[in-house]
Amino acid sequence: DAPEAQYLRWLTGEWPTKWMQYCLKWALLADFDNVPAKEPGKDLLSYLDEGCQTVYMRSDWSDDATWVLFENGPYVSVHQSLDKGGFEIFKGDLLAARTGNLDHGNVGASHAMNYLHRTVSGNCLLINDPDEKWKGFLAGAEGGHDGGGVRTNYPLTSSPDAESYLSNRQVFQRGQITRFAGNSEYTYALGDLTDAYNSPLFCGVNKPKVTSVTRQIVYLR
């Protein structure tokens, strides 16, 4: 009966591709077929996911909508990328997005290790320290310098269990959305990305290279 479930059911539509409906049915809604569809209103054009510190914003709910993603979530898996503070823009197709290819799913491939999963492959901020060492993405593996990207968790793991995550939550969290506002005219978000880089909080085998890093996004509808 939750409005969010009805909005989600409306969003899936009756697409010929059933994969999305399958995921929503079993992962989110359970009783998918009996949930009434309800179109979201104009007051629901932006959303702050506090768990993943990610902001979603869109122009409207039409098929021709523009939407923007601003991501600052925790880094807890080698299947993720070091792209905190990055953004994506979609309008009919991806206009601004991360680049690279998955090399047949091999997360340890040279391209994945040195580009695809690195900060340089996305719309992120590079802060260069020529002496910075990049280590610990996958089982302690080392990679090349990418111009000053987001740090790894090394010597902590890149895939923590729940106990490790909760004990070192700030290290794994990386970014925080500290200001957020959204209405029918605009969406605004400010992300504090300081902890995503080698900083006084955590720098592993490196030295701190930042004391304060922020990034702001304003979307004018």
Side-chain angles (χ1 to χ4, degrees), residues 166-186:
L166 293 174
S167 299
N168 300 278
R169 188 163 188 162
Q170 194 172 5
V171 173
F172 292 112
Q173 175 56 52
R174 307 306 187 86
Q176 294 281 346
I177 300 297
T178 57
R179 295 182 185 177
F180 170 75
N183 55 42
S184 61
E185 297 182 354
Y186 71 88

Side-chain angles (χ1 to χ4, degrees), residues 20-199:
M20 182 58 75
Q21 290 191 354
Y22 177 86
C23 292
L24 292 170
K25 180 175 181 178
W26 296 111
L28 298 175
L29 296 183
D31 194 17
F32 183 90
D33 295 329
N34 295 318
V35 176
K38 180 180 179 181
E39 182 176 356
K42 293 183 178 179
D43 58 332
L44 296 172
L45 297 177
S46 57
Y47 177 70
L48 168 60
D49 180 343
E50 295 185 356
C52 288
Q53 293 295 302
T54 295
V55 175
Y56 304 86
M57 53 198 101
R58 61 191 302 128
S59 58
D60 52 60
W61 291 99
S62 71
D63 290 341
D64 192 42
T66 300
W67 56 261
V68 182
L69 170 73
F70 182 37
E71 187 174 19
N72 301 276
Y75 179 67
V76 292
S77 170
V78 295
H79 293 283
Q80 294 176 264
S81 298
L82 301 170
D83 57 356
K84 307 315 170 188
F87 66 88
E88 296 187 7
I89 302 174
F90 181 95
K91 173 69 171 179
D93 202 342
L94 283 169
L95 302 184
R98 286 180 50 237
T99 56
N101 64 76
L102 196 53
D103 281 347
H104 307 290
N106 181 4
V107 73
S110 178
H111 175 71
M113 192 79 69
N114 292 292
Y115 187 81
L116 176 65
H117 291 292
R118 303 291 294 278
T119 311
V120 70
S121 70
N123 300 305
C124 305
L125 299 175
L126 292 174
I127 303 171
N128 188 43
D129 173 4
D131 297 324
E132 186 174 38
K133 306 299 181 186
W134 191 80
K135 187 173 184 178
F137 176 70
L138 180 64
E142 298 186 28
H145 200 290
D146 72 346
V150 169
R151 63 170 173 80
T152 66
N153 296 331
Y154 187 84
L156 298 178
T157 177
S158 295
S159 300
D161 55 25
E163 182 178 358
S164 298
Y165 174 74
L166 293 174
S167 299
N168 300 278
R169 188 163 188 162
Q170 194 172 5
V171 173
F172 292 112
Q173 175 56 52
R174 307 306 187 86
Q176 294 281 346
I177 300 297
T178 57
R179 295 182 185 177
F180 170 75
N183 55 42
S184 61
E185 297 182 354
Y186 71 88
T187 296
Y188 167 77
L190 184 148
D192 185 340
L193 313 176
T194 308
D195 296 343
Y197 297 85
N198 286 312
S199 68

